Amino acid sequence: MPTENAYLLFDLPGGRLAFGEGDLDIWAEHLTWCYRMMGIPDGATIAVQDFGSSPISFLGSSLLMPGLQRGVAERIGGRFICLDASAERVTLTPALLSQLTVDALVIREDVIELLSAELRKREFAALARRTMKTIVVFGDEPPAFNAARPDSWRHLMHVESTLLLAPQCVKCDCFHLRQGVYEVDGRIVRNLRLAAPAYDLPRGELFPPSHCAAGIGDWCIGWSPRGRGI
Amino acid sequence: MRDTTSSCARSEAIETLSGAQLTAWQTDRLREVAIYAYREVPFYRQLWDRAGVEPGLLGSIEDFARFPTISKDDLVQAGNCWTNPHQGSVAFSTRGTSGAPLLVWLSAEEEEAYIRPTMRGFRWAGFQPGMTALLMSPVWHRLAACEAHAIARLGGRCAFFWGSMGTEYTDSFLHTLASERPEFITTTAPFLLSLVRRSPGDATRPHKLFKGVRSVVVVGLPLTPRMREFLRDRLQVEDVFERGGTQEGAATDECRWHTAPHVHEDVCYLEVVDDAGIHVAPGFRGRLIVTKLTTAGSIFVRYDTGDVAAFAPGECPCGCGFRRLKIYGRPESSVLVGDRLITAYDVRMCIEEDPALVGRNVLLVREANTRAGVLTVAVEGDAHDPAKLQARLREQLGVATADIVWLGDLRVNWGFRQVLDGREVRLPGS
């Protein structure tokens, strides 16, 4: 795709973000790191059920946004399936997933129950058992424990207005604040690469660097079992 | 930055070709696409071998009309046999309102081809460099993905609201409208109507927030002339334009004359055929058949959309040589009443003859008794002169009986649906 001089504005819950030249690629590079941290291999097919105004969606490929040189699909040499998160579209997802094999389904937490209900329908029962990594995206509220959800599910913490993206580590189960992308001061988390308001972590436990070998310089956010409703 | 000037110049030149020149140009493209599809996509090779047609011998539009049409079911059944090795890395879903949804792939090369007509359509709708455009979600539709690229190349700013196109996101849309003050908007007609017809108790007056908006471009619903007037008046915007397109490659945009949307003939070849598969003359309705004029992305050759459409007769005063096509309804926005196919557009035309009913959302209700010639229509809001409306529906649509269900205060998430199965909901008064 050609380079385009894009000026982009996103109205988000709790704020507004403006992106200029080069910003989106910085952000897409970090989202790609998050996926790799959650075990998504190069060449993967990723289906994303989120709103188009969410970076989880629009950073998926350079085809989706001007000014984005390489989205996630281009960075991992994979494929990206656009599934809008409106209720109307969520009901279509099981039929679509039955047409091709996806390696990861990334889905907003607030539509997961709707999708689960669709998947429970008789004709899609086999699909629900398919080996597909499911990544549930949530905001600053930790996901409540649900015994019915498979252990293999991963979570991605995403606070849109503060540009906070923290993946759940396959090694330590905590959420990594990547070294060089975020700095932590008390419970305040700041994005070092892009201009965004600081994030005041309301809950959870913060572990300083050296907590996990998967990212030795990363701060990590952990929730106690009680905090997760267990 | 890649130079896009030459490609723009090409797309402008093609608008002024004579009918014969354009046909010759499209025939060449159709032959290229057919030869490619035969070579690379097993589904087409097998289909055309069975039908005894040879892409290499395709020398005219008449030759092309002998190629078999295909349906969505054919493609879903074909699975990997329909895969184009160069189909690209991003997929969108069809809406699935007429059977199983289909995944349609987009490549960079194909998107590049479709950005040009998107820029053309936006220019027709009055977009100028420096404007801010409030756009639809780029993951909603493959044509929506082209929109932000087109705005960036036209020298504009792109703004996006949070959420999707359901009625639950109208507040979010209005918030962005108030904070970003765009001059140009793309959205869906059902969403816009829901916004205009928010509860009267709401403090926000939409037209105040639309102050400064020059153009609104809508998709998802064929605009009736009165609906356009209604939206222009209520929102107090300069103009409202209809934009059309399908995931399968059809792309249309209105010029300022609003005679009917022009087909972007440089990216798609559209046909309108009758039940026997014969081309119908401009002014007559038939089924829309789509062929994409690019070998990238998912390949569609003579794809029968099932949509009810008609080419507009004569020429447009704007001088553009592209044909004009009105898509009146999709299979999912029509009901068969007796032996007549009634589209939601036809019903709205009829309803809107009463000025008090213009702008209300309308749903056709598919019920068992449609076979007996009973048309059931659900109309948003309170009852208004029902006897006259029933008589008008009977007379103009040629149905034996017309039942009207007034939805009153019932809040419906309109989405794109224009037909409701009678078993799905319990309607007031039913």
Side-chain angles (χ1 to χ4, degrees), chain B residues 163-203:
Chain B
S164 190
M165 306 309 295
T167 47
E168 63 270 41
Y169 303 108
T170 51
D171 283 343
S172 171
F173 178 89
L174 289 174
H175 182 269
T176 309
L177 191 60
S179 60
E180 304 304 335
R181 291 288 172 196
E183 294 95 348
F184 192 88
I185 292 173
T186 66
T187 186
T188 72
F191 186 74
L192 206 55
L193 282 176
S194 298
L195 200 144
V196 171
R197 299 192 55 78
R198 279 151 52 101
S199 142
D202 285 346

Side-chain angles (χ1 to χ4, degrees), chain B residues 94-334:
Chain B
T94 61
R95 293 209 302 274
T97 34
S98 56
L102 184 67
L103 270 180
V104 178
W105 292 88
L106 178 71
S107 72
E109 183 188 348
E110 182 191 4
E111 186 179 59
E112 194 61 31
Y114 274 84
I115 288 172
R116 286 202 304 272
T118 307
M119 293 167 67
R120 179 191 300 136
F122 286 175
R123 275 196 299 261
W124 287 347
F127 188 86
Q128 292 171 11
M131 283 184 171
T132 296
L134 175 53
L135 300 175
M136 282 194 295
S137 152
V139 300
W140 183 260
H141 197 285
R142 58 190 282 288
L143 294 181
C146 298
E147 290 189 351
H149 291 283
I151 293 296
R153 293 183 193 189
L154 288 169
R157 290 184 292 270
C158 305
F160 299 91
F161 71 99
W162 180 253
S164 190
M165 306 309 295
T167 47
E168 63 270 41
Y169 303 108
T170 51
D171 283 343
S172 171
F173 178 89
L174 289 174
H175 182 269
T176 309
L177 191 60
S179 60
E180 304 304 335
R181 291 288 172 196
E183 294 95 348
F184 192 88
I185 292 173
T186 66
T187 186
T188 72
F191 186 74
L192 206 55
L193 282 176
S194 298
L195 200 144
V196 171
R197 299 192 55 78
R198 279 151 52 101
S199 142
D202 285 346
T204 318
R205 306 289 296 273
H207 74 269
K208 291 190 175 168
L209 298 177
F210 276 78
K211 192 172 182 318
V213 175
R214 304 273 296 273
S215 307
V216 179
V217 178
V218 296
V219 297
L221 203 65
L223 287 182
T224 60
R226 288 190 177 92
M227 176 82 77
R228 186 195 314 280
E229 286 303 317
F230 172 81
L231 290 172
R232 264 201 295 239
D233 291 348
R234 287 299 177 95
L235 303 176
Q236 295 180 15
V237 297
E238 284 184 23
D239 212 345
V240 178
F241 294 83
E242 181 179 332
R243 176 167 162 75
T246 64
Q247 299 279 32
E248 302 87 12
T252 66
D253 271 293
E254 274 189 330
C255 68
R256 67 186 176 87
W257 291 88
H258 302 301
T259 51
H262 286 276
V263 177
H264 291 292
E265 306 258 24
D266 47 348
V267 288
C268 58
Y269 173 68
L270 304 185
E271 305 166 75
V272 178
V273 302
D274 62 17
D275 287 341
I278 308 296
H279 286 170
V280 299
F284 292 90
R285 292 186 184 189
R287 289 198 323 281
L288 176 65
I289 310 291
V290 176
T291 302
K292 264 174 35 185
L293 297 179
T294 166
T295 56
S298 295
I299 303 283
F300 289 94
V301 180
R302 299 210 81 213
Y303 177 81
D304 187 340
T305 61
D307 295 352
V308 180
F311 283 111
E315 292 178 358
C316 183
C318 75
C320 173
F322 291 171
R323 294 175 297 167
R324 287 160 298 135
L325 180 94
K326 186 80 174 177
I327 302 175
Y328 293 99
R330 316 211 71 177
E332 65 271 19
S333 63
S334 311

Side-chain angles (χ1 to χ4, degrees), chain B residues 222-227 285 328 340 342-360 362 364 375 377 379 384-399 402 404 406:
Chain B
L223 287 182
T224 60
R226 288 190 177 92
M227 176 82 77
R285 292 186 184 189
Y328 293 99
R340 293 182 70 94
I342 309 282
T343 68
Y345 179 89
D346 297 327
V347 173
R348 280 194 285 118
M349 284 289 281
C350 202
I351 288 175
E352 290 169 1
E353 284 187 21
D354 183 339
L357 296 177
V358 177
R360 294 200 191 185
V362 172
L364 307 191
L375 171 67
V377 179
V379 183
H384 183 84
D385 222 345
K388 273 191 184 167
L389 177 57
Q390 280 176 312
R392 209 158 58 237
L393 288 167
R394 279 197 308 269
E395 186 183 324
Q396 295 186 12
L397 301 178
V399 295
I404 303 165
W406 300 96

